Amino acid sequence: MHSEGVASRSAEPRDSNRSRQHTPQLDAVSLAIIEQLQEDGRRPYAAIGKAVGLSEAAVRQRVQKLLDQGVMQIVAVTDPLTVGFRRQAMVGVNVEGDVESVADALTAMSECEYVVMTAGSFDLMVEIVCEDDDHLLEVINRRIRAVPGVRSTESFVYLKLKKQTYMWGTR
Amino acid sequence: MHSEGVASRSAEPRDSNRSRQHTPQLDAVSLAIIEQLQEDGRRPYAAIGKAVGLSEAAVRQRVQKLLDQGVMQIVAVTDPLTVGFRRQAMVGVNVEGDVESVADALTAMSECEYVVMTAGSFDLMVEIVCEDDDHLLEVINRRIRAVPGVRSTESFVYLKLKKQTYMWGTR
DNA sequence: CTTGTGGAATGCGAAATCCGCAGACTTGAG
DNA sequence: CTCAAGTCTGCGGATTTCGCATTCCACAAG
């Protein structure tokens, strides 16, 4: 089902230091808890506890810790098409000068839903979500190319979304 | 920030027909409800009701409908790095023959977290999530290139994730 | 071996939330 | 006007959440 998947990416990144350092590596139980919540973010703690073999209170503590640590977030994720965004595209960007500053500028744009620095023939990959073609055109041609340091861009307009997941650990 | 954002994409797509057809277009209240749940997927219905001006029961009914219709999902979203996936890459794929069948083959691979058919110099864009370099190499060179119809691939290894969002409507 | 300490799990009421349902309103079709 | 469908509200009863004190456990120190 779902020709248009409910969509969107994940959590907003936190500062580099925090989560990386004390990322004590999750044990099997925490993984199991996460899997439960990936199936249903509102599943009661008691039900999760029964599934993973822990008391309700223990599950609650673990979940709270996972949230505090930024290991996971429990959120509503939507289908862009349903919410009124009809055009999406991936844009590869080539930069001259400081890549990170360009990345920061793109990150500040609300239409840029996903920004990654990459190795390869593009310095940056950016996913854009727009309301219509005009909007998309304006974002790519006027806004992104106007950012100082952007040498060139190449666009890949989405024709059909085939898969979107957030099922780690579940493997 | 975030060199490791909590991560992942969104919901798995549903069949093409369902959601697209009766997607009656959400009214302002439903949008507001979604925004509330994008901030905290476990927020109590009563609190949401107070925020959007509806009774607890009404919010509950609307949320249930949004979930049933596949407009949104409430799920835990995780940071791949924390969960043990250290290498990610975007791969552009060129296809000869039927693009969709190749897309289906890639969709079936658990390491492919995101698969889109695109217009432009790639026919497909695929996001890969792996445990380490060996794993990444094997997925790209052995598995993806082994799919019948795949003419060529180009990889963009992630150096740093700068932004990930799922905040529609919130704009 | 005994003691001490920090982290995590458990048990347990009290408070808050969820859930199903019946009734009231609104709207549009016939 | 009447009927049917779709929503919203109000309301108990069942569940769940929450905070806290207690118990367990593993481990390091004495």
Side-chain angles (χ1 to χ4, degrees):
Chain A
M1 61 172 80
H2 85 16
S3 63
E4 46 257 314
V6 164
S8 124
R9 294 266 171 50
S10 98
E12 53 215 283
R14 290 163 295 319
D15 352 28
S16 308
N17 334 6
R18 182 138 71 70
S19 47
R20 193 184 306 273
Q21 43 196 48
H22 23 123
T23 290
Q25 221 120 190
L26 315 167
D27 62 13
V29 178
S30 289
L31 259 305
I33 292 176
I34 292 175
E35 281 183 42
Q36 292 288 317
L37 290 170
Q38 282 174 329
E39 287 176 22
D40 175 5
R42 273 181 169 262
R43 184 162 297 170
Y45 296 130
I48 298 173
K50 190 164 304 182
V52 307
L54 230 50
S55 69
E56 176 271 335
V59 173
R60 181 152 38 89
Q61 287 178 32
R62 286 206 182 217
V63 169
Q64 192 54 54
K65 204 168 88 174
L66 290 171
L67 295 174
D68 291 341
Q69 288 177 159
V71 172
M72 74 172 180
Q73 291 184 231
I74 300 176
V75 295
V77 138
T78 60
D79 172 359
L81 286 173
T82 308
V83 192
F85 297 101
R86 303 163 180 289
R87 287 291 176 275
Q88 286 180 267
M90 187 68 76
V91 179
V93 181
N94 282 302
V95 174
E96 55 191 352
D98 183 30
V99 178
E100 194 133 20
S101 67
V102 173
D104 289 335
L106 297 178
T107 295
M109 298 182 190
S110 64
E111 290 89 349
C112 296
E113 136 85 354
Y114 195 63
V115 178
V116 205
M117 295 173 61
T118 58
S121 63
F122 293 126
D123 298 308
L124 292 171
M125 301 279 288
V126 186
E127 189 185 58
I128 309 289
V129 178
C130 292
E131 293 170 18
D132 52 37
D133 290 323
D134 286 342
H135 189 188
L136 183 59
L137 185 65
E138 121 114 25
V139 170
I140 295 176
N141 283 353
R142 303 250 172 280
R143 313 260 301 279
I144 294 182
R145 291 193 176 155
V147 175
V150 171
R151 189 198 301 274
S152 64
T153 67
E154 182 168 353
S155 305
F156 306 89
V157 174
Y158 285 16
L159 298 177
K160 183 169 184 176
L161 202 47
K162 295 290 294 186
K163 181 183 188 182
Q164 283 175 301
T165 319
Y166 36 90
M167 291 295 181
W168 317 103
T170 303
R171 285 189 195 163
Chain B
M1 56 155 76
H2 87 21
S3 57
E4 47 258 313
V6 163
S8 127
R9 293 262 168 57
S10 98
E12 53 215 279
R14 290 163 295 318
D15 352 26
S16 310
N17 334 5
R18 180 136 74 69
S19 48
R20 193 186 303 276
Q21 45 196 44
H22 24 121
T23 289
Q25 220 118 187
L26 315 167
D27 62 14
V29 178
S30 289
L31 258 304
I33 291 175
I34 291 174
E35 281 183 41
Q36 293 288 317
L37 290 170
Q38 283 175 328
E39 287 176 23
D40 174 5
R42 273 182 170 258
R43 184 162 297 169
Y45 295 130
I48 298 173
K50 189 166 302 182
V52 308
L54 229 51
S55 69
E56 177 269 337
V59 172
R60 182 154 36 90
Q61 290 174 36
R62 285 206 183 217
V63 168
Q64 193 53 56
K65 204 169 87 175
L66 290 171
L67 294 174
D68 290 343
Q69 288 176 159
V71 172
M72 74 173 181
Q73 290 184 233
I74 299 177
V75 295
V77 138
T78 61
D79 172 358
L81 287 173
T82 308
V83 193
F85 298 101
R86 305 164 178 289
R87 286 291 176 275
Q88 288 179 264
M90 186 70 74
V91 178
V93 181
N94 282 301
V95 174
E96 55 191 352
D98 183 29
V99 177
E100 195 134 19
S101 67
V102 173
D104 289 334
L106 297 178
T107 295
M109 299 181 190
S110 65
E111 291 88 350
C112 296
E113 135 88 353
Y114 194 63
V115 178
V116 205
M117 297 172 60
T118 58
S121 63
F122 293 126
D123 297 309
L124 293 170
M125 302 279 287
V126 186
E127 190 184 58
I128 309 290
V129 178
C130 292
E131 293 170 19
D132 52 39
D133 289 323
D134 286 341
H135 189 190
L136 183 60
L137 185 65
E138 119 115 26
V139 170
I140 294 176
N141 284 352
R142 303 251 171 281
R143 314 261 300 278
I144 294 183
R145 291 193 176 156
V147 174
V150 170
R151 189 198 302 274
S152 65
T153 67
E154 182 169 353
S155 305
F156 305 90
V157 174
Y158 284 16
L159 298 177
K160 182 169 184 176
L161 201 48
K162 294 292 292 187
K163 181 184 187 181
Q164 282 174 302
T165 320
Y166 37 67
M167 292 295 181
W168 318 102
T170 302
R171 287 190 193 159

